[in-house]
Amino acid sequence: MKRRFSLILTLMVILLLLVTSVQAQDGVTIRYVLWDTSQLPPYQACADLFHEQNPGITVSIEQLGWDDYWTAITTGFISGEAPDVFTNHLAKYPEFVALGQLVDLQPLVERDGVPTDVYYPGLADLWTRDGARYGLPKDWDTVAVVYNVGLLEAAGVDPAIMEEWTWNPEDGGTFGETIAQLSIDANGNNGLSADFDPTNVVQYGYAGNGMGGPYGQTEWSWLATTTGWIHNNGVWGNEYYYDDPRFTSTIQWLADLWLVQGFAPALDQQTSLGRPALFQAGNVAMIVDGSWMIGTYLASEFEVGFGRLPIGPEGRRSMFNGLADSIWVGTENLEESWEWVKFTGSADCQNIVGQSGVVFPAIPEAAALSQQVRADAGVDVSAFVEQANEEGGTFLFPITDYGGEINTIMTEAMDSVGLGTGSAADILPAANAEVNDLFQ
Amino acid sequence: MAAIQSNMKSESGLISRLANNEMLLGYLFILPSLIGFLAFYAVPAVRSVFISFTEWNLLTEAKFVGLANYQDIFADDRFWRSLQVTLTYVLWNIPLQTVLAVFIAVMMDRIHNSSILRGFIILPWLMPNVIVALLFLWLLDPTLGIVNIFFEAIGIGRQSFFGSPDQAIATIAGVNIWRHMGYNAILIFAGLKTIPRSLYEAATVDGATGWKQFWSITLPLLRPVLVFVIVTSVIGSFQVFDTIAVATQGGPAGATRTIIYYIYQEVFERRISMGTATAASVVLFLILVTVTIIQTRYLNANQSDLAEYS
């Protein structure tokens, strides 16, 4: 009796093992990594819908902070533990291409007839080189002014000025004037007054966040490029222009905001906790930041508004940057990974992401959804969208080889200018020569 | 019966012979850490000497390039600057840390010593480096940190700490002094306990003051322990990394790019260049060997002055 019971038990266990192993063979799990915590919920929703449509494929999403993200991806390539699919950045992917770590998606795009013209113009092309394609666009971003509504009111500044304010590297234009007007010293004088004491400032008109290294996406590119200057000679270029007087004068104007004027916290006094923390402490009137940060600023304890960038000598310009999903060459599930990349690049997923409002998806209709969600909540984020839609309102991220080297050289040089170690006109041309030597 | 007995005897004889062979037993005891040392230190160290003669990005085949990597780093200003930054750090770190550790140990020995107190003293050392760095990043933040709010209140004014190229390296040294001085104090305290009390009693009878006793008895007899503490902390100091990786990432403007951070950047940030990274490691290794030999020679590490008293 006992023996029979154990026999049945053994059979049942074997049966159970068989069933589960069959199930495991049936389904494929692919690993997907991203760095932005606020995008985790919408992409989890995408993964759930994807699993419904493709019951055989499960997407397991991991989130890793930006600082560790790239080290983890690189070591993953080497150890063979990299995720099947990962969110990629324009500053980083050229090095991965050079190392032969990304799957060329072009043959798959052609085989399956995937449309690459459904995205904002230019976005899909950023991910191609010599006929190969290394990602399908997921989203885009621009930068705009973020301001503390209460501080502007108190100083009598009408946010409507942002529709037409101007900037130039010589005197800063009305943008510079507004910054001065919003800076207040301990005696209550604002920056326009001759009595303003730059060494004893209680409220800053503007705050930067570091010096922006080689790209200055949110730090200076929206100023420098309005002078007609551009980082380099185009996508996959081999020459940088950090020695151009239009560039050096822009950087000097910015650094003087704190080195001379006292209108912004000095570089070494800017909190290491990041620009949102500084802004949310409540004594900074305006900053410039990217559209992916909208949600963070809306969580402030005071009312926050988003305004247009100043109009420079050659108009308004914002960097147009975008993320894409790439497939690692070491994946064991190429077809399933490709299905997932196709899905995150499709309207099905991008509409979900759009409805979450956290970023602007690469497909215009989905991006409109994102804007609508914010508008329904009473927040006007049109400053970011108008910038993207404007003729000539954007320039593309300067993709080139040697991203890591350029970052090391330029971060150091830009920091030196920001710290007042030397002038932009002295320091930056030498750094530029070092950068261009890389391409020799 | 006799055969069994003799068999047993020889077996127990083997065990007792093993137990009596102190040398062999000693090796058995260090075997676990010897395996770790070989697998994680010795073998990689030897390998990296080979790698330093190649051009290798970890993903494609390594290519032999002779001394090119050494020429490359010797021609790199950032390499020389990183050595200078490292030396500055060591000079901030070691003297202060050691003096404070000796002070704490002597105080524990003379005034008060309980396991609770010792627990508190060693607590900073038990905290993970990354946590310590984050903690100080918040405390010393130029705008929002409590230390600066306090400084401003008492009239010293705000300091940049990690953000200033002049203060950053000293700040990092300060953080690590705080973290390590307790641990070193416990080691030195253990050394103090080996000094015979009778020496102090005799000195008191001869009329030597506390200060004189410290210079003539405590410090000389503490030498073996002090040498150990100094040698290991100098080596650790040359290899400072985690605090920098968390708090400053080598900035501002390269002011905290120590040699280990330079090596890290060669592989993970600037480029994937194992050749130049290992070449810099070999240079660091040679520097450390030289420094350690000088220290042990100069400080007579292997003999204790206690022998002269007995």
Side-chain angles (χ1 to χ4, degrees):
Chain A
M1 191 60 190
K2 232 179 192 174
R3 180 174 286 179
R4 184 174 293 168
F5 177 71
S6 63
L7 189 72
I8 291 169
L9 195 73
T10 315
L11 280 174
M12 275 172 67
V13 168
I14 290 172
L15 203 68
L16 197 72
L17 282 174
L18 276 173
V19 169
T20 44
S21 69
V22 165
Q23 267 182 345
Q25 273 172 0
D26 209 29
V28 169
T29 300
I30 57 167
R31 280 175 61 217
Y32 175 59
V33 218
L34 46 79
W35 64 78
D36 186 359
T37 39
S38 61
Q39 293 186 40
L40 185 57
Y43 278 100
Q44 187 57 57
C46 280
D48 294 343
L49 180 63
F50 178 72
H51 184 67
E52 258 174 51
Q53 293 178 2
N54 305 272
I57 315 174
T58 309
V59 179
S60 149
I61 306 184
E62 295 158 40
Q63 184 266 329
L64 263 175
W66 170 269
D67 287 341
D68 303 316
Y69 190 85
W70 302 106
T71 310
I73 296 279
T74 314
T75 48
F77 290 158
I78 295 154
S79 65
E81 294 290 316
D84 301 292
V85 182
F86 63 97
T87 304
N88 214 339
H89 192 276
L90 290 168
K92 304 282 182 179
Y93 97 88
E95 282 173 276
F96 297 159
V97 171
L99 292 168
Q101 293 302 306
L102 303 182
V103 172
D104 175 11
L105 304 178
Q106 189 57 30
L108 297 165
V109 165
E110 284 167 19
R111 185 194 71 189
D112 295 359
V114 177
T116 54
D117 56 358
V118 296
Y119 308 109
Y120 265 86
L123 275 186
D125 296 338
L126 288 170
W127 297 91
T128 62
R129 184 180 204 179
D130 302 333
R133 184 181 299 277
Y134 300 103
L136 284 186
K138 298 189 339 164
D139 56 28
W140 56 266
D141 50 69
T142 54
V143 304
V145 173
V146 185
Y147 62 91
N148 182 324
V149 173
L151 295 185
L152 262 69
E153 250 170 45
V157 174
D158 181 358
I161 192 181
M162 297 179 191
E163 292 301 318
E164 69 232 22
W165 59 1
T166 59
W167 174 83
N168 64 68
E170 287 79 44
D171 64 10
T174 49
F175 176 60
E177 256 172 54
T178 313
I179 290 174
Q181 195 181 345
L182 287 163
S183 304
I184 298 168
D185 72 6
N187 301 318
N189 299 312
N190 75 22
L192 294 172
S193 150
D195 299 328
F196 180 76
D197 177 7
T199 61
N200 201 357
V201 182
V202 291
Q203 177 185 311
Y204 294 105
Y206 180 79
N209 181 35
M211 287 303 289
Y215 311 116
Q217 182 177 17
T218 62
E219 293 82 2
W220 45 257
S221 67
W222 46 276
L223 292 171
T225 55
T226 66
T227 64
W229 176 86
I230 189 75
H231 296 76
N232 59 25
N233 55 342
V235 172
W236 299 109
N238 55 6
E239 189 181 5
Y240 276 83
Y241 307 126
Y242 295 121
D243 58 346
D244 189 306
R246 291 172 295 184
F247 176 69
T248 55
S249 61
T250 301
I251 299 306
Q252 196 62 58
W253 178 84
L254 186 71
D256 284 347
L257 281 184
W258 56 82
L259 293 175
V260 179
Q261 316 264 35
F263 296 162
L267 186 60
D268 61 355
Q269 295 285 320
Q270 287 168 16
T271 171
S272 43
L273 305 173
R275 184 168 25 192
L278 189 63
F279 180 73
Q280 285 168 338
N283 61 346
V284 169
M286 302 188 296
I287 54 169
V288 168
D289 212 335
S291 49
W292 65 93
M293 293 299 288
I294 292 171
T296 307
Y297 289 112
L298 288 177
S300 305
E301 285 171 9
F302 45 81
E303 200 188 335
V304 173
F306 302 96
R308 298 297 310 268
L309 294 167
I311 303 165
E314 294 193 11
R316 278 192 174 105
R317 296 269 161 82
S318 162
M319 188 183 284
F320 198 49
N321 183 32
L323 308 182
D325 285 330
S326 295
I327 304 177
W328 175 46
V329 288
T331 179
E332 284 169 6
N333 305 303
L334 179 60
E335 281 303 323
E336 290 81 1
S337 299
W338 166 236
E339 286 302 321
W340 169 242
V341 170
K342 257 198 299 189
F343 188 74
T344 60
S346 74
D348 279 352
C349 175
Q350 301 212 348
N351 284 338
I352 295 178
V353 176
Q355 271 153 4
S356 75
V358 292
V359 284
F360 295 117
I363 297 174
E365 295 76 31
L369 269 178
S370 181
Q371 192 185 354
Q372 192 55 47
V373 168
R374 291 300 187 197
D376 290 347
V379 182
D380 180 9
V381 294
S382 60
F384 297 98
V385 183
E386 278 170 34
Q387 194 66 50
N389 292 337
E390 226 164 63
E391 183 74 34
T394 54
F395 61 93
L396 299 175
F397 189 92
I399 310 169
T400 64
D401 289 317
Y402 306 115
E405 297 252 26
I406 296 170
N407 191 42
T408 304
I409 296 166
M410 288 310 294
T411 301
E412 218 168 302
M414 296 295 288
D415 282 358
S416 300
V417 177
L419 291 163
T421 316
S423 77
D426 285 342
I427 290 175
L428 298 176
N432 189 60
E434 205 184 338
V435 167
N436 285 333
D437 272 350
L438 295 169
F439 294 92
Q440 295 305 310
Chain B
M1 192 64 185
I4 293 168
Q5 241 174 10
S6 86
N7 194 15
M8 272 175 71
K9 200 177 171 193
S10 79
E11 226 170 61
S12 70
L14 184 71
I15 291 168
S16 76
R17 251 190 300 142
L18 266 179
N20 287 334
N21 189 338
E22 287 189 0
M23 183 116 133
L24 193 69
L25 201 65
Y27 279 116
L28 271 176
F29 276 127
I30 62 165
L31 190 63
S33 83
L34 192 67
I35 291 170
F37 173 77
L38 287 174
F40 299 113
Y41 287 91
V43 172
V46 173
R47 256 195 89 196
S48 55
V49 175
F50 286 108
I51 296 171
S52 74
F53 297 113
T54 65
E55 190 185 311
W56 187 34
N57 66 13
L58 291 164
L59 290 161
T60 50
E61 206 64 27
K63 197 173 79 195
F64 183 78
V65 293
L67 291 170
N69 291 319
Y70 290 90
Q71 286 167 343
D72 197 352
I73 58 168
F74 290 154
D76 185 0
D77 289 342
R78 289 186 181 82
F79 172 73
W80 294 109
R81 179 137 182 251
S82 76
L83 284 179
Q84 193 195 332
V85 167
T86 310
L87 194 65
T88 317
Y89 172 81
V90 173
L91 292 177
W92 273 107
N93 181 223
I94 297 301
L96 265 171
Q97 182 173 292
T98 313
V99 168
L100 282 169
V102 170
F103 178 77
I104 294 171
V106 171
M107 286 302 114
M108 272 162 58
D109 191 39
R110 293 204 182 164
I111 299 167
H112 181 70
N113 156 46
S114 68
S115 50
I116 294 175
L117 185 74
R118 266 177 296 180
F120 274 117
I121 284 171
I122 208 165
L123 203 59
W125 185 75
L126 295 175
M127 288 166 72
N129 269 335
V130 173
I131 306 285
V132 170
L134 281 174
L135 188 74
F136 277 93
L137 203 58
W138 281 83
L139 287 171
L140 303 178
D141 189 90
T143 354
L144 310 167
I146 193 162
V147 172
N148 268 321
I149 291 170
F150 174 73
F151 274 14
E152 195 153 55
I154 60 170
I156 295 177
R158 287 176 184 269
Q159 302 298 315
S160 308
F161 295 114
F162 293 119
S164 146
D166 305 322
Q167 295 178 2
I169 205 73
T171 307
I172 286 165
V175 170
N176 286 328
I177 288 170
W178 177 80
R179 195 179 111 85
H180 290 285
M181 65 183 182
Y183 173 73
N184 285 347
I186 298 288
L187 288 178
I188 294 167
F189 177 72
L192 287 176
K193 287 286 157 208
T194 64
I195 301 174
R197 292 282 129 178
S198 56
L199 292 176
Y200 290 105
E201 283 155 21
T204 313
V205 171
D206 291 344
T209 59
W211 193 237
K212 176 96 183 147
Q213 288 182 11
F214 174 78
W215 281 112
S216 309
I217 301 173
T218 313
L219 221 46
L221 293 183
L222 209 51
R223 205 179 55 208
V225 176
L226 265 183
V227 172
F228 172 78
V229 166
I230 292 175
V231 168
T232 53
S233 16
V234 165
I235 292 174
S237 193
F238 267 97
Q239 298 176 340
V240 60
F241 176 77
D242 3 28
T243 323
I244 290 164
V246 174
T248 60
Q249 290 91 44
T256 59
R257 185 191 290 121
T258 55
I259 179 71
I260 294 279
Y261 204 79
Y262 174 89
I263 293 167
Y264 167 79
Q265 284 190 314
E266 286 296 296
V267 181
F268 290 107
E269 278 183 28
R270 205 170 153 194
R271 48 189 173 177
I272 305 185
S273 168
M274 285 297 283
T276 49
T278 48
S281 310
V282 170
V283 173
L284 173 64
F285 175 73
L286 294 176
I287 293 173
L288 285 177
V289 168
T290 316
V291 169
T292 307
I293 289 174
I294 293 171
Q295 282 177 320
T296 42
R297 282 273 164 83
Y298 182 70
L299 297 164
N300 290 327
N302 18 359
Q303 67 195 98
S304 164
D305 291 343
L306 200 55
E308 295 166 24
Y309 293 88
S310 52

